[in-house]
Amino acid sequence: MTFRRSHRRATRVVRGELHTAVQTWARGPDHTIVLVGVSHVGELSYFRTIAQVVASYLEATVHYERTVREDPPPPTTDREWIRLEASRRSSRLVLRWAAEIADLGTQHGLPVDGWRNVDIAEVDLVRMCGRRGLAWFRIPGLHVQVDHGSLLTERQRRVLGHVARLLLVHTATWGRWLMSPMARRAVVHWRNAHAVSHALRAVHSGPVVLIWGAGHLAGMGQLLRHNDFRLESVRWLRAVGRTPSVCEQGEAHRSTPVPRP
């Protein structure tokens, strides 16, 4: 794989397992930015491994992804408030259902002590997505939070858990295609630029670690390349498999060098 293409690959499927990338970028000996691509739902050991990877970069500034919920909330129109509430319920429902039915964890379980949230405000994101917003806002019934756990037999739960794992493994990169073009520009491109601009300021004081959804890494890597950074290495972490891992700790794959252009 060429250098120009290698930075674009942030997820891979190997023997029925979804792996996400940890990319190390450098600009000379003093400027290092580490992009930790995250699956928002994964094995509990996967999130423990991510925390260990981040802790290995001593004295690093850590920036993480999570839209900011302002308190008190800013003034909004009735329509904006409806879209904001739909966004909150829909995203929480999908993540919670997938994690609970398949005995998995979510990104919200990662520690944030000492980390800095450099994401944008959720109200601003909803506004920039436009009136159409995200496609899953319009899926009938998705905004209704219903707990089906007590209605499932053990066999049904196992089958649904297996299906949820299959979907997580094989559809990890499809989320952006559920968005309208305007929403995709807001959710992906605008947030990439926002996060990288903060990282480029902080990197002058020491290493920077960015913990963001794996779908953001290709765009962030492109922005770093245009600011004279080079991709030094890629490390792969096992996020989730079609069946639960037999290991207590997530499997971290050996760093592999990236060919020079």
Side-chain angles (χ1 to χ4, degrees), residues 72-108:
T76 58
T77 66
D78 291 342
R79 187 179 293 273
E80 287 173 342
W81 183 254
I82 291 171
R83 293 208 307 268
L84 178 61
E85 285 297 296
S87 171
R88 290 173 177 174
R89 290 193 300 264
S90 298
S91 59
R92 280 203 306 264
L93 177 63
V94 172
L95 293 177
R96 191 191 71 174
W97 180 86
E100 288 186 357
I101 204 70
D103 296 321
L104 299 170
T106 70
Q107 183 180 351
H108 294 290

Side-chain angles (χ1 to χ4, degrees), residues 23 25 27 30-36 60-64 116-119 191-212 220-221 223-224 227 229:
Q23 300 177 352
W25 294 77
R27 183 174 62 187
D30 300 323
H31 291 173
T32 300
I33 294 179
V34 181
L35 302 181
V36 181
T61 300
V62 182
H63 294 174
Y64 68 96
R116 182 183 174 195
N117 186 342
V118 297
D119 210 338
R191 294 170 73 205
N192 288 351
H194 185 81
V196 171
S197 65
H198 281 276
L200 291 175
R201 291 189 178 197
V203 76
H204 293 280
S205 301
V208 179
V209 177
L210 274 69
I211 305 174
W212 279 67
M220 289 181 173
L223 291 171
L224 291 177
N227 283 276
F229 280 80

Side-chain angles (χ1 to χ4, degrees), residues 163-209:
V163 171
R165 285 176 174 271
L166 285 175
L167 290 174
L168 288 169
V169 169
H170 296 289
T171 65
T173 60
W174 289 12
R176 66 180 60 190
W177 304 115
L178 294 174
M179 308 175 193
S180 67
M182 186 172 182
R184 191 157 54 246
R185 286 193 294 270
V187 172
V188 180
H189 305 302
W190 179 34
R191 294 170 73 205
N192 288 351
H194 185 81
V196 171
S197 65
H198 281 276
L200 291 175
R201 291 189 178 197
V203 76
H204 293 280
S205 301
V208 179
V209 177

Side-chain angles (χ1 to χ4, degrees), residues 32-253:
T32 300
I33 294 179
V34 181
L35 302 181
V36 181
V38 176
S39 170
H40 296 302
V41 177
E43 307 284 357
L44 296 176
S45 58
Y46 167 66
F47 294 109
R48 289 197 295 268
T49 302
I50 289 177
Q52 293 169 1
V53 169
V54 175
S56 69
Y57 292 93
L58 302 177
E59 306 300 327
T61 300
V62 182
H63 294 174
Y64 68 96
E65 169 193 17
R66 186 175 300 172
T67 52
V68 178
R69 180 175 297 190
E70 298 169 279
D71 187 22
T76 58
T77 66
D78 291 342
R79 187 179 293 273
E80 287 173 342
W81 183 254
I82 291 171
R83 293 208 307 268
L84 178 61
E85 285 297 296
S87 171
R88 290 173 177 174
R89 290 193 300 264
S90 298
S91 59
R92 280 203 306 264
L93 177 63
V94 172
L95 293 177
R96 191 191 71 174
W97 180 86
E100 288 186 357
I101 204 70
D103 296 321
L104 299 170
T106 70
Q107 183 180 351
H108 294 290
L110 285 171
V112 295
D113 292 342
W115 299 359
R116 182 183 174 195
N117 186 342
V118 297
D119 210 338
I120 62 178
E122 59 178 359
V123 172
D124 294 334
L125 179 60
V126 168
R127 286 169 172 164
M128 293 302 102
C129 285
R131 285 178 295 180
R132 291 187 60 194
L134 303 179
W136 61 62
F137 291 0
R138 304 189 298 277
I139 298 177
L142 186 57
H143 65 283
V144 179
Q145 297 193 33
V146 179
D147 184 4
H148 294 286
S150 60
L151 303 179
L152 297 175
T153 66
E154 186 60 29
R155 182 175 183 277
Q156 289 171 333
R157 187 178 182 84
R158 286 200 305 269
V159 171
L160 281 176
H162 182 65
V163 171
R165 285 176 174 271
L166 285 175
L167 290 174
L168 288 169
V169 169
H170 296 289
T171 65
T173 60
W174 289 12
R176 66 180 60 190
W177 304 115
L178 294 174
M179 308 175 193
S180 67
M182 186 172 182
R184 191 157 54 246
R185 286 193 294 270
V187 172
V188 180
H189 305 302
W190 179 34
R191 294 170 73 205
N192 288 351
H194 185 81
V196 171
S197 65
H198 281 276
L200 291 175
R201 291 189 178 197
V203 76
H204 293 280
S205 301
V208 179
V209 177
L210 274 69
I211 305 174
W212 279 67
H216 292 271
L217 262 62
M220 289 181 173
Q222 188 173 10
L223 291 171
L224 291 177
R225 286 183 58 239
H226 286 302
N227 283 276
D228 304 318
F229 280 80
R230 288 178 177 270
L231 181 58
E232 296 290 333
S233 65
V234 179
R235 179 181 181 181
W236 292 96
L237 306 178
R238 179 190 186 275
V240 62
R242 291 180 296 185
T243 58
S245 174
V246 296
C247 301
E248 289 294 325
Q249 299 294 327
E251 179 183 0
H253 292 262

